[in-house]
Each structure stands twice: as structure tokens, then as C-alpha cells.
């Protein structure tokens, strides 16, 4: 889907100020172009029965657009008074947003989508706030009367300009994080903070990115270091913006991951106090209550999350409660069915239901069907490898050994270079060895058993 837009950005030059106005023109042109592309993307989403909300459209287009060709600039200077020159820059851009991003969007987990939407809203708000500040400065510039006022105005323009550049870094970092390029995102968030030391949003986003990196680490020391960096950044975000509900929620989640449960509950409570309509924090807090075996409060928070935002993520979490805590399997499967109904293109919803069918109900046929759908929808090779491994286990239980072997083989191919899958690689070989044994292929069974033992010894 192609979007196209021209836009004007104005700034005052001469004795007042003119700097980076062409960057502002480019930014405005891109934002207008992705809005146009978003109109087409929303129409497309309707055509495939996956209509997206305006927030979802903006999040996808803002984080996945590609510039087509070079940005074209045109500069026009107009003398307004003896003291003021009005400099207008016109930027023309073409952007492209791939229709396939609709399907990719629904392959993400609900909580991840919620976070991405929140981040995009925040970056848009930063941009709008900076535009308002610049417009106010322009109006004041019309009434400049002496050198002291001009000097003060120039200083404020410079500050606003640094904010703009910092915000640009945040937007680029968020685009990289959206693409799972977390280390690169950290670099841009850091540059944003260097430009504006009190950029609370940059600290919040960088902190949560450090948390994401911690989940990819295997070494305990590396995990601990990433969590510490995450907490430090989230502390800073709250220091500079004490009413920052999202930062409290993120810090609570990181505290929970670090097993600092007392700090976690304080942050979740504060996040909900500041923003009682944000469903995600109720899901987070329910985890804490479950840890304490305070099941009534845990369920109440999950019910509240569903009341506020009936998402697949919320239903999956409540299904987990019904499965593992109250043993109400009928209610669990009802919630899992609801998750799939709400988000039929969400691979995580099918995976969750498949796990329940296989692990709890021992209905391996239905579990295999859901894993098949998850494989179709999943874009990440590491996750697809896990789904193939799980479906292979279902076929093994059903004694369909040729299909099990094919799935285990595919899991090995997709996951051999992925750290998460490598942890299970020995057991994949072990399981495939058992299937070869069942089929009477002793040579292949022995070869896989040797690989299993070699990996276990490492």
C-alpha cells in the first residue's frame, strides 16, 4: 500500500533562529504519508476480515513504513519584517507499508500489541507537544523588540530543537524494537537521552527493552545485569515523570521477573491508581496475587482486565488460572475458545489452546490441529521450531511416527541456531530416536541417541 504526501514546515530565520527545519518538514511529510497509507491498510484489513482499530493502524504504519526513493526538499524564504525572515521548507516523500503487516500484527501476543500501541501513542504525543511548543515560539517571535528577547527566544528554540531531535531518536529506536532489533534500539534510546537528559519516555522504553534483552540471555549474570539496567532506567523515568503509570507498571513487571515481589506489588498498585482503566496492569498484578496464593484477588484482577479490554491475552491468562488453580477445565477451554474467536490470526492463542488440549486433556488430535494453525500464523523461526517440536510430540503420542519424525526434523532445522531452541535440542533428538526405534530403524535411532548424549554432556 503506497502513501504519498507533501507538507510544509515553517521556521523563523534571520536574527531569530533556523535549524533542522528541513528535518521537521521531512518528519511531517512522513507522518502525513503514513496516515494516507493507513487508510489503505485499514481498507485491506476489512477485506480479509481482520479490521484493525485506528490505534493498531497507526502503530503498524509508524513502525513498518519504508521510504521509497529520496526525500525531495524545496526551500522558500520570505522577508516578513526587517528583523524576521520566514523560511518555508516543503518536503515530498513516498512511503510503502506492506499489506502482509496485517497478518504479522496478529501473530504477536496481545500484551505485546498493547505495549506497542502505548509506545506509538507516546511518541506521537511527544511530537505533537513539540510542534505546539515551536508554534508558540513562532508567535512570540512576531513581537520580538530587543536583543535580550531575541537571545532568550533563540535559547528556547534550541531547547525545543533538541527535544525534537531526541524524539526522532525515540521513534527510530521504537521502530527497531518493533522489528526485534533490541541492541540497535538501545543505541538510539541512549542517543535520545544524550540529547535530552530528562526524556522520561526514552528511559521507560529503554528500560523495558533491557527487560526484553534479559529474556534472551542464558547466563545468569547477564540476565541479572540486564534487569538491573532496566530498573535503573525505569527509576529515572519515574523520577522525571512521577505520574507515569506505564513506567510503574513496567517496573513492577521487571521487579516480578527479578523475584522482588514486594516492590512489584507496590508498583502495580501505583500504576493502577494512576490509570485504573489500563487492563494490562491488572493482568500483571494477578501474577503477583497468584504467587501469594491469594486466588480471589488474582481472579478478580483477571476479570477486571477482561471487563476493560477483552483481549486474547486476558482470556488466556484467566484460562491458565482455571486450569492450574481452580481446576475448572470447562471454564478454561471456554476462555481459550474465546481467545481464538477474538483473535483468529493470533498464533499464541492457538498455541495456548493446543497446550491445554495436549498437556491437560490429553486430546492429542485437537492439540495437533491447533499447533498446525499456530505454525501457519507464526513468523519467527524460533517459535515455529517450538511448535513443530510440540506437534511432533502429539503425533508421537498418536503413534503417527513418520509425521512426528518430520516435525522433529523441521524443529531441528529451524532452531539449531537459536539459543532458546538449543536448550531443548537434546530432547528433540531423544524424541526422534524413540520414533525411529518404534519404526524399527535402529541405525537412525542410535545416531540420534548419540547426538542426545553428546548434547547432554556439554
Amino acid at each position: 500500500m503506497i502513501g504519498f504526501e507533501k507538507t510544509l514546515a515553517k521556521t523563523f530565520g534571520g536574527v531569530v533562529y533556523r535549524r533542522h527545519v528541513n528535518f521537521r518538514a521531512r518528519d511531517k511529510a512522513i507522518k502525513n504519508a503514513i496516515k494516507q497509507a493507513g487508510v489503505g491498510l485499514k481498507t485491506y484489513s476489512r477485506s480479509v476480515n481482520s479490521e484493525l482499530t485506528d490505534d493498531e493502524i497507526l502503530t503498524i504504519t509508524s513502525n513498518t513504513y519504508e521510504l521509497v526513493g529520496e526525500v525531495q526538499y524545496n526551500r522558500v524564504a520570505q522577508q516578513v519584517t526587517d528583523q524576521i525572515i520566514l523560511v518555508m521548507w516543503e518536503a515530498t516523500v513516498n512511503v510503502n507499508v506492506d499489506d502482509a503487516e496485517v497478518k504479522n500484527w496478529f501473530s504477536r501476543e496481545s500484551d505485546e500489541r498493547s505495549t506497542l500501541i502505548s509506545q506509538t501513542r507516546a511518541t506521537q504525543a511527544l511530537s505533537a507537544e513539540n510542534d505546539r511548543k515551536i508554534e508558540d515560539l513562532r508567535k512570540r517571535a512576531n513581537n520580538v523588540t530587543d536583543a535580550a528577547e531575541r537571545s532568550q527566544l533563540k535559547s528556547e528554540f534550541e531547547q525545543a530543537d533538541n527535544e525534537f531531535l531526541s524524539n526522532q531518536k525515540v521513534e527510530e529506536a521504537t521502530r527497531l524494537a518493533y522489528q526485534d532489533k533490541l541492541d540497535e534500539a538501545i543505541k538510539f534510546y541512549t542517543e535520545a537521552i544524550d540529547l535530552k537528559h530528562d526524556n522520561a519516555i526514552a528511559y521507560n522504553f529503554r528500560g523495558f527493552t533491557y527487560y526484553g534483552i534479559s529474556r534472551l540471555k542464558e547466563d545468569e549474570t547477564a540476565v541479572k545485569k540486564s534487569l538491573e539496567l532496566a530498573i535503573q532506567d525505569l527509576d529515572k523515568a519515574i523520577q522525571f515523570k512521577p505520574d507515569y503509570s506505564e513506567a510503574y507498571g513496567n517496573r513492577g513487571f521487571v521487579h516480578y521477573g527479578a523475584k522482588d515481589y514486594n516492590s512489584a506489588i507496590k508498583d502495580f498498585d501505583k500504576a493502577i491508581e494512576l490509570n485504573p482503566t489500563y487492563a494490562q496492569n491488572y493482568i500483571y498484578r494477578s501474577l503477583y496475587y497468584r504467587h501469594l496464593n491469594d486466588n480471589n484477588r488474582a481472579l478478580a484482577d483477571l476479570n477486571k482486565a477482561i471487563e476493560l479490554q477483552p483481549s486474547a491475552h486476558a482470556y488466556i491468562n484467566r484460562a491458565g488460572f482455571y486450569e492450574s488453580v481452580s481446576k475448572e477445565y470447562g471454564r478454561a477451554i471456554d476462555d481459550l475458545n474465546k481467545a481464538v474467536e477474538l483473535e483468529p490470526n493470533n498464533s499464541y492463542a492457538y498455541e495456548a489452546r493446543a497446550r491445554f488440549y495436549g498437556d491437560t486433556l490429553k486430546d492429542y488430535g485437537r492439540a495437533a490441529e491447533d499447533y498446525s494453525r499456530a505454525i501457519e500464523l507464526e513468523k519467527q523461526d524460533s517459535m515455529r521450531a517450538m511448535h513443530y517440536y510440540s506437534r511432533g510430540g502429539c503425533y508421537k503420542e498418536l503413534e503417527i511416527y513418520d509425521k512426528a519424525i518430520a516435525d522433529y526434523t523441521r524443529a531441528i532445522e529451524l532452531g539449531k541456531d537459536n539459543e532458546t531452541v538449543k536448550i531443548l535440542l537434546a530432547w528433540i533428538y531423544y524424541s526422534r530416536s524413540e520414533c525411529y526405534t518404534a519404526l524399527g530403524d535402529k541405525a537412525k535411532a542410535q545416531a540420534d541417541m548419540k547426538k542426545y548424549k553428546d548434547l547432554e554432556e556439554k
Side-chain angles (χ1 to χ4, degrees), residues 4 9 16 24 55 201 211 264 297 348:
F4 174 83
V16 182
R24 289 183 180 275
D55 278 342
I201 287 176
Y211 172 72
R297 286 186 176 181
Y348 179 59

Side-chain angles (χ1 to χ4, degrees), residues 27 54 96 143 158 185 212 248 315 354 406 434 448:
D27 179 61
D54 290 341
N96 181 70
N143 300 312
E158 288 174 344
Y248 279 105
Y315 276 107
E434 289 189 318
D448 272 0

Side-chain angles (χ1 to χ4, degrees), residues 27 31 34 55 58-63 65 115-132 163-178 188-189 192 199-206 241 244 246:
D27 179 61
K31 283 183 167 59
I34 62 177
D55 278 342
L58 182 60
T59 300
I60 294 170
T61 53
S62 296
N63 290 292
Y65 75 85
T115 297
L116 290 169
I117 289 171
S118 178
Q119 289 179 338
T120 302
R121 283 177 183 160
T123 57
Q124 294 289 315
L126 281 177
S127 178
E129 181 182 351
N130 189 259
D131 284 346
R132 287 192 295 271
E163 289 178 1
F164 167 76
L165 295 176
S166 179
N167 296 345
Q168 290 281 287
K169 297 290 186 181
V170 170
E171 289 186 20
E172 183 58 31
T174 304
R175 278 168 54 79
L176 290 165
Y178 186 99
F188 277 90
Y189 285 135
N199 192 330
I201 287 176
Y203 277 113
N204 178 40
F205 290 179
R206 191 176 70 172
K241 191 176 180 183
Y244 201 171
E246 183 180 317

Side-chain angles (χ1 to χ4, degrees), residues 410-421:
R410 189 68 179 130
I412 292 167
E413 291 170 352
L414 288 171
K416 60 185 178 182
D417 296 322
N418 181 270
E419 295 302 322
T420 302
V421 183

Side-chain angles (χ1 to χ4, degrees), residues 146-159:
D146 57 39
E149 286 182 294
R150 284 195 292 274
S151 177
Q152 174 62 29
L153 198 59
K154 181 176 180 179
S155 176
E156 291 182 44
F157 263 118
E158 288 174 344
Q159 181 181 357

Side-chain angles (χ1 to χ4, degrees), residues 338-451:
K338 187 65 176 180
V340 170
E341 176 189 333
L342 282 172
E343 300 179 23
N345 294 311
N346 185 345
S347 64
Y348 179 59
Y350 288 98
E351 179 201 9
R353 192 170 67 178
R355 283 200 310 267
F356 182 76
Y357 276 136
D359 296 346
T360 301
L361 299 185
K362 310 302 180 186
D363 188 340
Y364 299 111
R366 285 187 176 181
E369 290 176 5
D370 274 351
Y371 280 126
S372 295
R373 185 64 176 141
I375 289 167
E376 290 174 12
L377 295 169
E378 182 58 59
K379 293 299 180 183
Q380 295 184 34
D381 283 349
S382 60
M383 290 304 303
R384 290 175 64 218
M386 299 296 285
H387 297 337
Y388 275 113
Y389 172 53
S390 297
R391 190 177 68 175
C394 294
Y395 287 139
K396 180 169 170 283
E397 293 291 341
L398 292 168
E399 299 183 358
I400 310 175
Y401 296 117
D402 55 339
K403 286 189 175 183
I405 288 169
D407 275 359
Y408 290 141
T409 302
R410 189 68 179 130
I412 292 167
E413 291 170 352
L414 288 171
K416 60 185 178 182
D417 296 322
N418 181 270
E419 295 302 322
T420 302
V421 183
K422 279 182 179 178
I423 298 172
L424 293 173
L425 204 55
W427 289 103
I428 299 175
Y429 280 115
Y430 184 90
S431 298
R432 193 172 69 172
S433 174
E434 289 189 318
C435 292
Y436 281 130
T437 297
L439 292 177
D441 193 333
K442 293 182 180 180
K444 289 183 178 179
Q446 289 173 354
D448 272 0
M449 187 59 67
K450 183 178 185 306
K451 289 177 182 177

Side-chain angles (χ1 to χ4, degrees), residues 193 197-207 233-234 236-237 240:
I193 291 166
H197 78 281
D198 61 347
N199 192 330
I201 287 176
Y203 277 113
N204 178 40
F205 290 179
R206 191 176 70 172
D233 273 358
L234 293 164
K236 281 285 188 181
F240 291 124

